[in-house]
């Protein structure tokens, strides 16, 4: 209610008699599409970067004791190695948005794989700690670029009725990468694990030749003929793309008249809500305990008396099942609902884990309770917090500030990741129980934050979402 005529004109297309067109309850274009084979192939190829990211994130846990023994590292030196992923993430975050805006999303994916491959080779063949850290730094840069471009690319190629499910592929691939390195890490030594990590990178480099550039990036850069051809291929030969193409072009033209994509544009009053939501969700992702759990799981298993082999197999199964379930739920339950369930569940999981350490001196089912807490944490995390913050971040920012906003969000994510990854082992020495109670408290705050501020974006076009969340058009 109360939309201006200019906003209504932006959100509507003129051909209202088209058979694929009907007006949604809020006045926007409702032009749903089916998942074509080419769209699915393109999304899977793009999401492969996330598999490698997950493999990188999970690598430090099964590799921990092998690296410590072979390179004679102290725990403090290994904490530096673990945290270098976050340092690389900060560097990558500073350039992620601009790199994708300038080179395009597909070219950026080639760049990402170069960083990953160089990182794995440095780790696999190192005999000194500084080269180990350099490899981890390069991987962090690759993950930061993936965090931005992987989500933005899939959001921009996907129709709104399929966007949530297909964007969840990134979360599923990340979880699968972590699960895979956990599974094989119990039988493959750390150098072999590093070489195996380069295989998905090589496969994606080959597949990138067969996928298109983002249609929204093409129209933003004045390549309208290519834009229409790409959109037609993604939607299918028989689909009439005119309503969707008109909405995308009109919105892109209007937005680019507002301002250039400068970093300071983000701090205008009209972007206050999307910035608050995006940054808040990035902080929730890390300070709810993700990096501590993932990077140093072996340490948690040892302290809790859990067999590493049994623990990693359990978590691998848990991760794959929960991330798969999230794909089917996200476009049915909605982003906001799943986030609330996820935050409540990670709070419970951290409380159970912390409570298990509290009872450690009494030997009351410590191992079972700790493994239950860790499993509840990961099931809950993968249902929502793992992927939905990135989905929402890619949905709520207009195209003129999307690059700068993406860089800011990824930077915040990696600064908080570094803080958790570097301090986690020291926090465990201070108080095992206290560490997980802190994570539980952050999850509880995340639940309240979601209830009060996070919008529901399910079933709405990117243009509709951005018009409602910002005051650009008001």
């Amino acid at each position: 209610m109360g939309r201006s005529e200019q906003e209504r004109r932006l959100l509507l297309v003129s051909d209202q008699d088209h058979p694929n067109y009907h007006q949604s309850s809020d006045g926007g274009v409702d032009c749903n599409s089916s998942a074509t084979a080419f769209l699915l192939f393109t999304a899977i190829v793009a999401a492969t970067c996330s598999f490698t990211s997950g493999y990188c994130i999970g690598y430090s846990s099964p590799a921990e004791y092998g690296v410590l023994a072979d390179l004679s590292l102290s725990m403090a030196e290994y904490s530096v190695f673990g945290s270098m992923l976050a340092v690389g993430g900060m560097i990558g975050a500073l350039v992620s948005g601009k790199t994708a805006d300038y080179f395009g999303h597909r070219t950026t994916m080639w760049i990402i794989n170069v960083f990953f491959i160089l990182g794995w080779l440095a780790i696999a063949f190192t005999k000194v700690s500084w080269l180990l850290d350099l490899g981890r730094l390069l991987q962090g840069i690759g993950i930061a670029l993936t965090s931005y471009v992987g989500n933005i690319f899939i959001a921009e190629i996907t129709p709104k009725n399929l966007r949530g499910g297909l964007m969840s592929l990134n979360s599923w691939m990340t979880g699968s990468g972590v699960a895979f390195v956990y599974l094989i890490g119990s039988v493959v030594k750390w150098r072999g694990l590093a070489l195996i990590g380069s295989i998905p990178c090589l496969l994606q480099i080959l597949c990138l030749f067969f996928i298109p550039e983002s249609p929204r990036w093409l129209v933003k850069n004045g390549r309208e003929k290519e834009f229409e051809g790409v959109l037609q291929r993604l939607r299918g030969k028989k689909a009439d793309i005119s309503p969707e193409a008109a909405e995308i072009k009109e919105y892109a033209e209007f937005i680019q008249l507002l301002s250039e994509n400068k970093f300071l544009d983000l701090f205008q009053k009209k972007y206050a809500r999307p910035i608050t939501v995006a940054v808040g969700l990035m902080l929730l992702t890390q300070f709810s305990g993700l990096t501590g759990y993932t990077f140093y799981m072996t340490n948690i298993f040892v302290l809790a008396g859990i067999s590493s082999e049994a623990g990693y197999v359990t978590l691998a199964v848990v991760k794959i099942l929960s991330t798969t379930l999230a794909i089917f739920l996200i476009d049915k339950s909605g982003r906001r609902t799943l986030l609330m369930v996820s935050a409540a569940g990670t709070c419970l999981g951290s409380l159970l884990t912390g409570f298990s350490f509290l009872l450690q001196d009494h030997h009351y089912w410590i191992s079972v309770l700790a493994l239950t807490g860790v499993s509840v944490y990961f099931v809950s995390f993968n249902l929502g917090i793992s992927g939905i913050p990135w989905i929402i971040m890619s949905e709520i920012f207009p195209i003129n500030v999307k690059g700068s906003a993406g860089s800011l969000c990824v930077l915040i994510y990696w600064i908080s990741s570094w803080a958790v990854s570097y301090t986690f082992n020291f926090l465990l020495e201070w108080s095992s129980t206290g560490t997980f109670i802190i994570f539980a408290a952050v999850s509880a705050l995340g639940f309240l934050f979601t209830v009060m501020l996070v919008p529901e974006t399910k079933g709405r076009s990117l243009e509709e979402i951005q018009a409602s969340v910002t005051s650009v058009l008001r």
Side-chain angles (χ1 to χ4, degrees), residues 199-267:
I199 295 174
C201 307
L202 297 172
L203 291 175
Q204 188 183 36
I205 286 174
L206 293 175
C207 291
L208 285 172
F209 286 100
F210 303 100
I211 69 171
E213 183 52 79
S214 158
R216 285 176 169 85
W217 185 88
L218 290 171
V219 76
K220 177 187 174 185
N221 287 273
R223 294 160 61 174
E224 291 195 11
K225 289 185 178 180
E226 290 179 65
F227 154 71
E228 292 183 358
V230 166
L231 192 61
Q232 189 72 67
R233 290 180 68 196
L234 290 169
R235 300 295 178 262
K237 292 181 180 179
K238 296 182 179 179
D240 191 313
I241 62 169
S242 55
E244 185 180 7
E247 183 181 19
I248 293 171
K249 286 192 286 187
E250 189 171 0
Y251 189 80
E253 291 167 3
F254 181 83
I255 281 293
Q256 292 199 56
L257 293 175
L258 298 176
S259 63
E260 296 180 3
N261 185 5
K262 298 177 181 177
F263 185 76
L264 291 179
D265 289 344
L266 288 176
F267 301 100

Side-chain angles (χ1 to χ4, degrees), residues 64-306:
E64 181 174 354
Y65 284 94
V67 173
L68 288 172
D70 292 353
L71 298 181
S72 301
L73 300 182
S74 66
M75 184 57 71
E77 288 174 318
Y78 195 77
S79 292
V80 171
F81 166 68
S83 65
M84 286 303 290
L85 196 74
V87 175
M90 295 179 212
I91 296 171
L94 294 173
V95 299
S96 58
K98 291 295 184 182
T99 301
D101 283 351
Y102 183 79
F103 292 106
H105 302 129
R106 189 177 65 162
T107 302
T108 302
M109 289 182 219
W110 268 308
I111 296 171
I112 288 168
N113 283 292
V114 171
F115 280 112
F116 280 148
I117 291 171
L118 291 177
W120 286 125
L121 292 177
I123 292 171
F125 295 105
T126 186
K127 294 184 178 180
V128 290
S129 61
W130 69 264
L131 191 57
L132 191 75
D133 294 340
L134 177 61
R136 196 72 166 161
L137 180 78
L138 293 172
Q139 290 177 344
I141 296 173
I143 295 174
L145 293 172
T146 298
S147 299
Y148 176 75
V149 77
N151 289 285
I152 294 295
F153 179 79
I154 294 180
E156 293 190 354
I157 66 171
T158 311
K160 64 184 180 182
N161 59 306
L162 302 173
R163 191 172 62 244
L166 286 181
M167 287 192 70
S168 293
L169 277 174
N170 281 314
S171 177
W172 187 88
M173 285 287 199
T174 302
S176 297
V178 174
F180 184 66
V181 76
Y182 279 179
L183 282 174
I184 66 173
S186 59
V187 294
V188 179
K189 293 184 177 181
W190 64 276
R191 293 186 190 274
L193 277 181
L195 291 175
I196 291 172
S198 65
I199 295 174
C201 307
L202 297 172
L203 291 175
Q204 188 183 36
I205 286 174
L206 293 175
C207 291
L208 285 172
F209 286 100
F210 303 100
I211 69 171
E213 183 52 79
S214 158
R216 285 176 169 85
W217 185 88
L218 290 171
V219 76
K220 177 187 174 185
N221 287 273
R223 294 160 61 174
E224 291 195 11
K225 289 185 178 180
E226 290 179 65
F227 154 71
E228 292 183 358
V230 166
L231 192 61
Q232 189 72 67
R233 290 180 68 196
L234 290 169
R235 300 295 178 262
K237 292 181 180 179
K238 296 182 179 179
D240 191 313
I241 62 169
S242 55
E244 185 180 7
E247 183 181 19
I248 293 171
K249 286 192 286 187
E250 189 171 0
Y251 189 80
E253 291 167 3
F254 181 83
I255 281 293
Q256 292 199 56
L257 293 175
L258 298 176
S259 63
E260 296 180 3
N261 185 5
K262 298 177 181 177
F263 185 76
L264 291 179
D265 289 344
L266 288 176
F267 301 100
Q268 299 176 52
K269 184 179 179 181
K270 60 191 175 184
Y271 300 129
R273 187 184 178 194
I275 284 291
T276 301
V277 169
V279 170
L281 292 178
M282 293 298 111
L283 293 174
L284 170 63
T285 301
Q286 286 298 335
F287 285 112
S288 63
L290 169 65
T291 303
Y293 276 100
T294 307
F295 282 15
Y296 305 110
M297 187 56 64
T298 298
N299 217 9
I300 296 173
F301 288 158
V302 169
L303 289 174
I306 301 169

